[in-house]
Amino acid sequence: MGGKKSKSGAIDDSGRKSAAPDENLPTVERIRKHTTTHFGYKVLSLARRGMTDLPEELWELTELQKLNLSLNSLRSVPSSLGSLQNLVVLNLWGNQLTSLPPEIGRLRNLKVLFAYRNRLSDVPEELGLCTKLEVLSLANNQLTTLPASLSALGGLKKLNLSHNLITHIPGCVYTMKNLVFLQLACNKLENIADQIQTLADLKILIVEGNCIHSLPKMLCCLTKLELLNVDFNDIQNVPAEMHQLRRLEKLACHPLDKGLHIRHNPLLKPIKEVLDGGLQALYNYLKAV
């Protein structure tokens, strides 16, 4: 009788199981078989694999352009990461990383880095060498600041630093003049520096859930703002120049709504009462003051 095939291998005529085809391949080739091509990019996803360590052969796949290692149990990423110099997107979120390797600076083609929901207490200076970065999320970590070297990330458009331990907006952020999205919610911010005016392209600024006492009048230079969320701070008053923010079209309630989020603050009279009439009533009042 002929042998029968099984998913785990073949049964030969003697009844012995032979190795499955994949088992005869080198480890690097077995990993490569999981790569796909998506919109022209070489992609590999090893998400949700329960991994605590990464296979050494992974770093031989130098053709990779998108790598997803999210939702594992990784505590570190080896220096070999620097060999994947074609990476455009690197997804590390949802692990237990306490640091990123300095060799991440060798990823000169990197445009998107997701490293949120880890245990990072700092970021390597070498990340500033990834000058093609456009999207950077370091939310839900234990960061207190960012290295000055990140001033080189002039092409960054979206930066998420929410849910960290930041007391002052890092100086390097004010040099990222192409930012359109800046998320700093749920930190320990006490103020917003006048340098915020340098971020003239900002459309979304979220600083809810901090300890901010007042808003600088220079904030009102950001006339492209469409969403400004300053809820759940200690703000008592607003700068008279706020009426210049004409693209904030309404008082917003839902967290994702465009407009001005400000009502959840200990606002003083008459601002508190004026806001009952809506944003336009506030603007009219500020212009008349």
Side-chain angles (χ1 to χ4, degrees), residues 16 24 56 61 64-65 116 122 131-132 145 218 283:
R16 293 175 301 182
N24 294 321
E56 292 184 10
L61 302 181
L64 286 179
Q65 294 170 291
Y116 57 96
D122 56 31
T131 53
K132 291 186 179 180
T145 190
M218 292 303 179
Y283 284 178

Side-chain angles (χ1 to χ4, degrees), residues 21 34 37 49 74 84 95 129 135 145 150 169 199 223-225 233 237 247 262 267 272 288:
H34 291 280
T37 300
R49 301 295 180 99
L74 302 174
L84 302 185
N95 281 283
L129 298 173
V135 178
T145 190
L150 269 58
I169 298 177
L199 304 181
T223 55
K224 293 183 180 180
L225 278 178
N233 279 282
N237 213 330
R247 295 194 184 184
I262 196 171
L267 295 164
K272 185 176 181 180

Side-chain angles (χ1 to χ4, degrees), residues 86-242:
N86 287 309
L87 278 185
V88 176
V89 178
L90 176 58
N91 195 335
L92 297 170
W93 79 271
N95 281 283
Q96 299 174 28
L97 300 176
T98 56
S99 64
L100 299 174
E103 288 77 10
I104 198 169
R106 297 176 59 191
L107 308 182
R108 304 298 175 87
N109 291 301
L110 197 63
K111 291 185 178 181
V112 178
L113 174 59
F114 294 130
Y116 57 96
R117 292 189 184 176
N118 279 286
R119 299 177 181 176
L120 301 175
S121 57
D122 56 31
V123 174
E125 292 186 3
E126 290 81 0
L127 185 61
L129 298 173
C130 300
T131 53
K132 291 186 179 180
L133 267 177
E134 297 179 3
V135 178
L136 175 59
S137 180
L138 297 167
N140 295 86
N141 279 288
Q142 299 167 19
L143 300 173
T144 56
T145 190
L146 294 177
S149 61
L150 269 58
S151 296
L153 304 183
L156 202 65
K157 296 179 180 178
K158 296 182 179 181
L159 176 61
N160 190 340
L161 297 172
S162 63
H163 295 271
N164 277 287
L165 304 172
I166 298 170
T167 56
H168 297 89
I169 298 177
C172 62
V173 172
Y174 296 121
T175 68
M176 299 172 181
K177 296 183 179 180
N178 283 306
L179 281 179
V180 296
F181 174 95
L182 178 57
Q183 163 66 290
L184 283 155
C186 301
N187 277 280
K188 297 184 176 183
L189 296 178
E190 297 178 359
N191 60 65
I192 299 173
D194 285 343
Q195 294 100 300
I196 195 71
Q197 67 176 312
T198 63
L199 304 181
D201 285 339
L202 266 187
K203 293 183 178 180
I204 297 176
L205 175 59
I206 303 172
V207 291
E208 68 172 323
N210 281 283
C211 307
I212 298 169
H213 301 291
S214 62
L215 300 175
K217 67 178 182 179
M218 292 303 179
L219 178 66
C220 305
C221 295
L222 306 182
T223 55
K224 293 183 180 180
L225 278 178
E226 298 174 2
L227 189 162
L228 174 60
N229 190 336
V230 296
D231 264 339
F232 302 105
N233 279 282
D234 296 321
I235 297 167
Q236 297 184 345
N237 213 330
V238 298
E241 296 82 0
M242 183 167 275

Side-chain angles (χ1 to χ4, degrees), residues 229 231 250-258 260-261 263-264:
N229 190 336
D231 264 339
K250 63 180 180 179
L251 285 179
C253 297
H254 189 279
L256 297 180
D257 282 349
K258 290 184 178 181
L260 175 63
H261 302 249
R263 301 192 74 161
H264 296 286

